[in-house]
Amino acid sequence: MSILSVGMAFCDIPLRPCPANIMDLDNTMIDKVELHTGGDALTVAVVLAKMGEPVALAAKVGDDANGAFVRSELSRNGVNQDLMMIEKEVSTATSYQLIEANGQRHFLVDSRINSLLKSADISDQAIAAHDLVFFGSALALEGMDDTELSDLFRRAHKCGKITAMDASVAVKDNAVCKMDLLRETLQHTDIFIPSYEEASYLAQKTEVKDIMEAFRRFPLKVFGIKLGAEGCVLTSDFEQYIKLPPCKGMPVVDTTGAGDCFMGGFLCAYLKGWPLERCGRFGSAVSAFGISAIGASTAIPDFDSVLRFMKENEKA
C-alpha cells in the first residue's frame, strides 16, 4: 500500500560537545559536523521507505544547499519526491542542535518555510494516488490549522483513504479549549498517536486513563499515547487498552525523532493488517533502532532486520 506523508522537512545540524557556558567562550572545539535529515513527516517517510513501503513526501524546502541535501537524502532512501515543493524566496527549515556532553540539547531553528504549507498544496489527484495520508505536524504548522488540516483529511476520507496523524507540542497558549485546536480534524482522523505531552495538552488532563477517555468522543479507529521511556499505550475501541514497554537492547545515543520512527514503524505494520499489539511492538522496535545513532533516521535498517530484533526482544 502507498503512503503520502505531509508536513515538515528539516536539515538537522548537530553540534557536539557544546559546553553549557558556550556564550561565555570565544571558541571551543567540537566533533566533526555532519548534516542529517529531520522533521516528523520526512522521518516517517524515510522510515517507511527503508521498510520497503512505497511512500511520497509532500513538504517544502528552499532552493538552497540544505534543500539540495534534503532532496539527495530522500532520493538515496527511495522516497518519492514528486510532491516536494521548492520555494525560491525562503530557506530550507534548518535546526542547529547544540548538544552538551550529558546529552542535554538546545535548538536554534529557522522553520519559517513550514508555515507556508496549506491544504491546497496537496491535490485531490495526489490523495487519490495513495492508500494512507499521514500528517506529522499537527499544532506546529501555522498554515495547517484545524480548518486546513480537516480539509485535507476530509478530502482523503471522501476518496476512501486512511488518515493518520501525529502532533508537535504547541508552543503558543491561548484562551480557547485546547481540544478545539484539532476538533474538526479529529472527526476525520483514523489513527492518532501523539506523545504524552501533546495528548495531555489537548485533553487538559494529566492521568493517562483520563487523557484516553477525553479522546473517546472522536471516531478514531486507533488512538495511542507515546510514553517515551515507559513505552506506549494503544486502543482501538476505548474499552481495552494495550500497554507496551519500550524495546531494549539498543544503545541510547540520540532520541531525536524517536516518536517519528515509532509512527513510521507502526504505520508499516498497520498497513500489513497486523493486530494492534504487534503494530505497537514493531513501532517500538523501529524506534529503538532510531535512537541508537546520531540523526533521526540514520540507524533505521530494513524490514527483516527490525522483525528479527523485535522477535529477539520478545524472547528476552
Side-chain angles (χ1 to χ4, degrees):
M1 300 182 78
S2 178
I3 304 98
L4 172 58
S5 185
V6 183
M8 290 184 178
F10 264 89
C11 176
D12 288 345
I13 306 177
L15 305 173
R16 59 188 300 165
C18 178
N21 64 335
I22 183 61
M23 299 304 290
D24 296 326
L25 304 175
D26 288 331
N27 63 76
T28 187
M29 293 294 293
I30 60 174
D31 295 340
K32 179 182 178 181
V33 178
E34 296 180 343
L35 275 61
H36 297 273
T37 57
D40 34 27
L42 183 153
T43 301
V44 167
V46 169
V47 168
L48 286 164
K50 287 188 173 185
M51 294 296 104
E53 301 294 334
V55 57
L57 176 64
K60 292 180 181 282
V61 294
D63 186 18
D64 52 24
N66 287 349
F69 168 75
V70 168
R71 297 197 305 275
S72 70
E73 287 296 288
L74 292 174
S75 177
R76 185 175 68 85
N77 287 296
V79 176
N80 185 308
Q81 299 184 59
D82 291 348
L83 300 175
M84 289 294 291
M85 294 156 272
I86 301 176
E87 297 288 336
K88 299 289 186 181
E89 305 298 327
V90 189
S91 300
T92 298
T94 303
S95 173
Y96 296 90
Q97 304 168 1
L98 309 182
I99 308 171
E100 297 182 40
N102 63 3
Q104 190 72 25
R105 293 170 177 272
H106 312 273
F107 299 89
L108 300 172
V109 179
D110 173 13
S111 61
R112 287 168 290 183
I113 192 171
N114 291 320
S115 66
L116 302 179
L117 187 66
K118 293 282 190 177
S119 177
D121 289 321
I122 315 301
S123 69
D124 289 343
Q125 291 79 5
I127 292 172
H130 298 86
D131 300 294
L132 182 148
V133 177
F134 169 76
F135 186 81
S137 313
L139 302 177
L141 275 68
E142 293 181 10
M144 291 295 289
D145 59 11
D146 191 32
T147 299
E148 292 285 325
L149 185 49
S150 63
D151 176 73
L152 175 66
F153 277 10
R154 184 183 296 110
R155 289 189 290 128
H157 269 178
K158 187 176 180 180
C159 291
K161 310 304 180 180
I162 303 168
T163 57
M165 180 171 66
D166 203 347
S168 294
V169 175
V171 295
K172 294 182 180 179
D173 205 355
N174 46 57
V176 304
C177 171
K178 303 302 182 286
M179 199 71 89
D180 282 344
L181 296 172
L182 291 175
R183 185 173 297 278
E184 287 302 314
T185 299
L186 287 167
Q187 297 292 341
H188 303 280
T189 302
D190 296 316
I191 302 169
F192 186 37
I193 310 179
S195 70
Y196 170 81
E197 291 78 12
E198 294 148 3
S200 177
Y201 177 85
L202 288 167
Q204 291 294 283
K205 307 288 184 181
T206 56
E207 296 294 327
V208 169
K209 60 181 178 61
D210 294 331
I211 296 172
M212 302 288 282
E213 186 63 27
F215 283 89
R216 177 191 288 268
R217 73 192 76 171
F218 301 106
L220 298 164
K221 294 179 180 177
V222 174
F223 178 69
I225 304 175
K226 298 189 291 284
L227 301 171
E230 295 182 18
C232 67
V233 58
L234 300 165
T235 185
S236 59
D237 59 7
F238 290 92
E239 297 295 337
Q240 297 183 338
Y241 299 95
I242 301 170
K243 177 72 183 296
L244 298 173
C247 273
K248 304 293 185 180
M250 285 288 185
V252 179
V253 176
D254 182 5
T255 59
T256 302
D260 304 328
C261 289
F262 175 89
M263 281 301 303
F266 181 91
L267 293 177
C268 173
Y270 184 85
L271 291 176
K272 293 182 184 301
W274 291 3
L276 185 60
E277 180 175 350
R278 196 171 188 219
C279 291
R281 292 191 183 279
F282 190 80
S284 295
V286 173
S287 184
F289 277 99
I291 64 176
S292 68
I294 297 294
S297 57
T298 306
I300 301 299
D302 59 22
F303 175 82
D304 289 337
S305 297
V306 177
L307 196 60
R308 284 194 298 270
F309 173 72
M310 182 179 74
K311 291 178 178 178
E312 292 168 0
N313 200 267
E314 289 173 348
K315 294 177 183 177

